[in-house]
Amino acid sequence: PLASGVNGITINAPANSKVHIYGLTIEGFATGLNGIRFSPGDVRVENVVIRGFTGNGIDMQATTPSRLFVKSTSISHNAGGINVLQSGAKDVSIDRNTNLGFRLNGALMTGFITESTITGSATDIQALTGASLTSFGNNTVINGSPTATLPLK
């Protein structure tokens, strides 16, 4: 999808919904808001390219328990990479996003990163307000500044 001036994909599904986004290229042309924005539900993003957004590649704004799983996906040239609650990321490339690579924000939020590369953001990894983010190894973080020490598993 092309998303000039809007979100690439907006998901407003019932809380128990499951959505699978597979094999898409979502292009914001440097004017799109967010690549994928959702609240609430369980969303799986796999084999997707998200680039060129003024907001985040993936932005989760859930107010009820929700989950995000990202696999084999490239998120680049956005203001932010992934901004989420209760998440998992595996085999993800987050590259050259202006402000952040991967952020969890909230006391009860937990997330993990494994087999991923995060490069070229001002802040590559961020866990705020008591969020818990765990690295399961085989991750590469280059050219940014992690703002949390991640426990390795």
Side-chain angles (χ1 to χ4, degrees), residues 70 82 88-94 102 111-119 124-125 133-142 146 150-153:
V70 182
I82 301 176
K90 179 177 182 188
D91 186 24
V92 177
S93 171
I94 303 173
F102 190 98
F112 71 88
I113 303 172
T114 184
E115 300 175 25
S116 297
T117 302
I118 303 172
T119 64
D124 286 320
I125 299 171
L133 186 57
T134 302
S135 171
F136 282 87
N138 296 329
N139 294 304
T140 303
V141 179
I142 304 171
L150 301 179
L152 297 175
K153 298 283 181 176

Side-chain angles (χ1 to χ4, degrees), residues 3 19 23 32 46 49 51-52 64 68-70 77 97 112 153:
V19 176
E46 193 170 353
V49 174
R51 63 180 173 238
T64 59
L68 171 66
F69 180 77
V70 182
H77 297 91
N97 295 290
F112 71 88
K153 298 283 181 176

Side-chain angles (χ1 to χ4, degrees), residues 77-132:
H77 297 91
N78 307 291
I82 301 176
N83 183 41
V84 296
L85 308 170
Q86 302 172 347
S87 67
K90 179 177 182 188
D91 186 24
V92 177
S93 171
I94 303 173
D95 184 33
R96 287 177 287 224
N97 295 290
T98 308
N99 297 321
L100 69 102
F102 190 98
R103 174 191 292 155
L104 290 177
N105 188 356
L108 300 176
M109 294 177 213
T110 60
F112 71 88
I113 303 172
T114 184
E115 300 175 25
S116 297
T117 302
I118 303 172
T119 64
S121 303
T123 300
D124 286 320
I125 299 171
Q126 193 171 50
L128 300 173
T129 322
S132 171

